[in-house]
Amino acid sequence: MGLFASAKAVVIDAWSWLNYKPLYSDNLGMPNRRAFPEAHATWVPAADERRLAAYKMLTAYDNNQVAELTAFRDGEEARERREFGDPSMFVDTITSHVLGEEQTITVPGAENAGSDQTTPEAETAERIQTLLREWADEELLPMRLLQTERQAVRLGDGVYLLHWDADKQRVRVKTYDPGFYFPIIDEDSDGSDFPDRVHFAWELPEDKARRLPARLRRITYHLDWIRPRTANGVDRTGRPLRATVMTEPTEEQAAQPVLGQGDTLDANGSITRLYPWSEKPSYKTVYLTDATWELGDLKGPVDVDSLPMDKAHYATNGQGEVLDHLDLYQDFIPVIHVPNTVPEPGEHWGQSSLAKVLQVFDELSGSDTDSSRASATTGSPILAISGKALNSQQQYTAGPGMVFTLGEGGSITSVETSGNLAELRNHRKDLRDQAAATARIPAVALGTGDPAQFTSGYQLELALGPLDSLISGMRLARDHADRLLPKFVQRLFLAGQHPDWAGLPVLPAKLMRGAYTPTDKAAVLEEVVSARQAKLISLETAIRRLQDIGWPIEDAEDEIKRIDARSFEDARNLADALGNPDEVASFLGRQAPDEPEIPPVILPAAAVEQGGLEDAEQGVADGEQGSGGNTS
């Protein structure tokens, strides 16, 4: 029994790649309490302790602070370790690749607007696409994407929160630290189903200036059954909360709950609501709660999902509504979880891009530390004095320009350490190559390779093969989030009753990510020109292919119109084929000239006098036949 009681517990879960660190995993598989006090807070669920500790450890790697954490266990000597930013470089590189050169919201069918085959559906798609892109510019969406993607790459997870801002009259996007994100996942869920209840929770430190104790803030989104209407109220202690609105009682009927705007009762007595983005009534809505607790009030076995509501202090929004189960009038939780990798079956969380490379980074840190120490001995060489010195009691200090006077038979020997430094540098290069291979980032993608070694685009494409598979899998994990983001934006604009969105449907849209690898533009251009000349591809396909490799073409349809406006040879062929000036003018983007009117025939006066009307008509006829005769 004693043998098994002292055995180290082996924990294999989504965070077990950190088990090799004693600081992270003790004999019971739990993180060090001194290094990770946040993970051991009383309100943190036990299932999230290792996740929060892993987030802190990964953040330390990104900020060159692993030595500070290690000092909690190994003492102050651990702070002497060098960290030169290799993990941060890997995170930045992978983030830039997974984002691509540019990010654009597209709506299928919008590309057909403005063409000859324009339909009302295409015009609507083009209108929604324009509104979404204008919103993205106002909301600084590329910056929000960069914030979330960097967290997803570094920590394994990223989180968006979307909400309607009544003051700014637009949808807002906020990026949350995944360490604040606590979804309540059903035990029967396979991990891919989005939870019906999501908490964002974090501690607020004590504010002595404002006389505020340490507190816990929790924001909750809960998808639940539609209930009767509520309004601001207070409890017996004067604490603000929301209370059910009741009708005035009468002699015939007691007071009854009031239904919300647009709500109806079905035959079973359940409340239903028809949302503008749905064709059939829904029984569900999302409730928002924003509350704060004093940490001293959290006693007993409670966690983030079971906090005592009688101790909560509710916040108030800009419209003066108490955020205590406030009905948001929407049937979806506006939270988007972005996993860095495709989760394992039954898992909700992604995996950090640093997970499989951390041990190599530890070796790199050790090599950097050794190189720093070796460089000190190389710059200030070790000297050994042998033989007889003039003054055996003298202490010698080496420095530039120093002269040592020795006695008979004395000598000075220098210990050469530059070779050791060179070997350490070579070892560091080998470790960086190992890290790049493990992370599937070729040296050319990191910027440490020699581009001259690739004589063609095909060789470069082969070298980037591991990166292609890496980014392909990461973008697959983000595909659902890239579709949810514009979908939620459309729904929230409709829920906010913005006038520009009145009467518009919710159409499928997607956040498209640009190219992430360098392209042999000359080879692609030659390929496009050859295919176009052989009439194997259309002009539209050729233009879009050039857009894909980074040509400065903003709108393919406009570019095609400008090309056609100067294609006079094609216009001549079109005129010969159709014989229709209007079609040719439309092809060139111009207006066909008006056809000249044929002037009426005016008979010469002399001919009428001499020969009469018949002779004049005969003369005109001869003239039209080109006889050259003079009708006069």
Side-chain angles (χ1 to χ4, degrees):
M1 290 295 294
L3 176 63
F4 287 100
S6 62
K8 179 179 175 63
V10 178
V11 179
I12 300 179
D13 58 6
W15 322 102
S16 56
W17 40 268
L18 264 174
N19 283 352
Y20 78 96
K21 282 187 169 294
L23 180 71
Y24 178 79
S25 183
D26 59 14
N27 289 334
L28 299 177
M30 300 306 296
N32 185 287
R33 287 184 173 273
R34 294 178 58 211
F36 307 101
E38 306 87 354
H40 294 281
T42 57
W43 56 270
V44 173
D48 292 296
E49 291 182 2
R50 285 170 56 83
R51 175 173 69 92
L52 298 187
Y55 287 164
K56 185 173 183 178
M57 179 67 75
L58 291 167
T59 303
Y61 271 95
D62 187 34
N63 292 284
N64 295 344
Q65 291 181 292
V66 177
E68 293 184 35
L69 282 180
T70 308
F72 282 101
R73 185 179 185 275
D74 298 341
E76 291 299 317
E77 295 80 6
R79 293 178 178 269
E80 298 180 3
R81 293 179 65 88
R82 296 292 185 266
E83 299 174 74
F84 293 160
D86 293 283
S88 180
M89 180 191 65
F90 272 65
V91 170
D92 291 336
T93 301
I94 298 176
T95 300
S96 64
H97 288 323
V98 77
L99 272 176
E101 293 181 355
E102 60 181 7
Q103 304 81 42
T104 308
I105 297 178
T106 61
V107 179
E111 68 276 6
N112 297 325
S115 63
D116 297 337
Q117 293 79 25
T118 299
T119 62
E121 291 78 10
E123 296 290 345
T124 300
E126 194 273 337
R127 173 63 176 162
I128 293 177
Q129 178 176 275
T130 301
L131 289 174
L132 287 173
R133 292 180 177 180
E134 291 176 353
W135 165 82
D137 290 337
E138 293 179 356
E139 194 56 24
L140 303 178
L141 184 60
M143 183 184 69
R144 306 298 182 193
L145 291 174
L146 178 58
Q147 292 173 340
T148 304
E149 288 297 345
R150 202 179 190 286
Q151 286 189 342
V153 171
R154 178 184 62 189
L155 306 179
D157 303 282
V159 182
Y160 296 111
L161 171 65
L162 294 90
H163 65 94
W164 173 254
D165 191 326
D167 296 330
K168 294 184 178 294
Q169 284 293 296
R170 75 167 185 263
V171 180
R172 305 300 306 274
V173 179
K174 185 174 183 179
T175 298
Y176 267 101
D177 188 319
F180 299 163
Y181 171 62
F182 295 90
I184 307 304
I185 301 174
D186 190 355
E187 295 180 354
D188 297 330
S189 173
D190 63 351
S192 62
D193 298 331
F194 199 79
D196 292 338
R197 190 164 65 259
V198 171
H199 302 298
F200 292 98
W202 62 94
E203 290 188 8
L204 301 173
E206 180 183 2
D207 189 346
K208 294 183 179 180
R210 300 169 57 191
R211 297 182 180 180
L212 294 175
R215 292 151 294 152
L216 170 66
R217 184 181 179 186
R218 189 191 73 179
I219 301 174
T220 301
Y221 290 86
H222 187 193
L223 181 64
D224 203 359
W225 303 106
I226 300 175
R227 301 188 184 95
R229 181 181 174 186
T230 61
N232 289 351
V234 293
D235 63 5
R236 296 178 179 178
T237 63
R239 183 174 57 117
L241 45 71
R242 298 193 69 82
T244 303
V245 178
M246 306 293 290
T247 61
E248 291 292 337
T250 62
E251 295 180 357
E252 294 81 10
Q253 188 177 20
Q256 299 293 324
V258 176
L259 298 183
Q261 183 179 1
D263 294 350
T264 58
L265 289 174
D266 65 1
N268 298 323
S270 300
I271 304 176
T272 64
R273 182 181 299 164
L274 183 62
Y275 293 100
W277 50 82
S278 180
E279 296 181 354
K280 58 182 181 180
S282 174
Y283 292 89
K284 296 292 187 74
T285 188
V286 172
Y287 296 96
L288 169 63
T289 302
D290 186 350
T292 305
W293 288 262
E294 294 184 8
L295 292 182
D297 293 337
L298 303 182
K299 300 176 181 178
V302 297
D303 60 20
V304 71
D305 193 45
S306 60
L307 298 175
M309 302 309 297
D310 59 328
K311 301 291 185 179
H313 300 276
Y314 299 106
T316 304
N317 64 10
Q319 288 69 48
E321 295 175 307
V322 178
L323 300 181
D324 171 23
H325 293 84
L326 176 65
D327 191 345
L328 296 182
Y329 279 81
Q330 60 193 51
D331 60 349
F332 62 95
I333 295 180
V335 176
I336 301 176
H337 171 234
V338 183
N340 185 50
T341 57
V342 177
E344 295 291 334
E347 283 288 345
H348 180 78
W349 310 101
Q351 188 178 83
S352 169
S353 295
L354 301 179
K356 304 296 178 60
V357 202
L358 286 186
Q359 296 191 45
V360 184
F361 287 148
D362 287 343
E363 292 292 330
L364 272 170
S365 177
S367 177
D368 293 337
T369 304
D370 294 340
S371 297
S372 177
R373 292 171 177 171
S375 63
T377 60
T378 302
S380 300
I382 301 174
L383 301 179
I385 299 178
S386 60
K388 183 178 181 182
L390 293 179
N391 186 358
S392 59
Q393 303 298 324
Q394 183 179 354
Q395 298 292 328
Y396 295 94
T397 302
M402 291 293 298
V403 177
F404 299 96
T405 303
L406 304 178
E408 182 180 356
S411 64
I412 297 178
T413 304
S414 173
V415 179
E416 179 63 40
T417 61
S418 59
N420 297 336
L421 181 59
E423 286 299 321
L424 286 172
R425 289 176 175 174
N426 292 334
H427 180 56
R428 189 181 196 283
K429 183 179 182 302
D430 293 341
L431 289 175
R432 291 191 65 174
D433 292 342
Q434 177 63 47
T438 303
R440 290 187 291 172
I441 308 178
V444 65
L446 284 172
T448 59
D450 183 11
Q453 63 180 319
F454 304 106
T455 58
S456 67
Y458 182 70
Q459 291 181 349
L460 179 61
E461 186 176 354
L462 289 178
L464 293 173
L467 180 65
D468 291 338
S469 63
L470 171 67
I471 301 302
S472 177
M474 295 176 68
R475 290 192 173 184
L476 177 62
R478 291 157 170 78
D479 183 75
H480 187 53
D482 290 346
R483 299 176 188 273
L484 279 182
L485 180 64
K487 180 180 179 181
F488 284 179
V489 171
Q490 295 178 70
R491 289 185 173 186
L492 289 173
F493 267 112
L494 292 177
Q497 299 181 358
H498 195 282
D500 292 344
W501 291 79
L504 292 177
V506 175
L507 296 182
K510 187 178 180 181
L511 178 68
M512 303 298 295
R513 301 166 185 258
Y516 59 89
T517 56
T519 307
D520 191 346
K521 294 185 178 181
V524 175
L525 177 61
E526 181 180 357
E527 174 188 342
V528 170
V529 171
S530 300
R532 179 75 181 122
Q533 290 177 347
K535 299 181 179 181
L536 297 177
I537 60 175
S538 65
L539 181 58
E540 289 80 0
T541 302
I543 292 295
R544 291 192 178 94
R545 185 69 182 97
L546 295 179
Q547 281 183 306
D548 293 339
I549 64 173
W551 278 52
I553 301 175
E554 296 182 358
D555 190 287
E557 295 295 334
D558 290 342
E559 189 70 18
I560 291 172
K561 290 179 181 178
R562 288 193 287 267
I563 293 174
D564 290 342
R566 295 168 176 81
S567 301
F568 300 112
E569 184 67 27
D570 293 337
R572 187 179 298 110
N573 296 335
L574 183 63
D576 294 340
L578 300 180
N580 189 337
D582 292 332
E583 290 285 348
V584 177
S586 177
F587 173 77
L588 293 174
R590 305 185 181 187
Q591 185 176 0
D594 297 333
E595 294 185 3
E597 297 182 0
I598 301 176
V601 179
I602 301 175
L603 299 177
V608 174
E609 293 176 357
Q610 296 178 4
L613 182 60
E614 294 181 358
D615 293 341
E617 291 177 351
Q618 182 65 37
V620 172
D622 293 341
E624 291 177 352
Q625 294 174 2
S627 59
N630 190 346
T631 58
S632 62

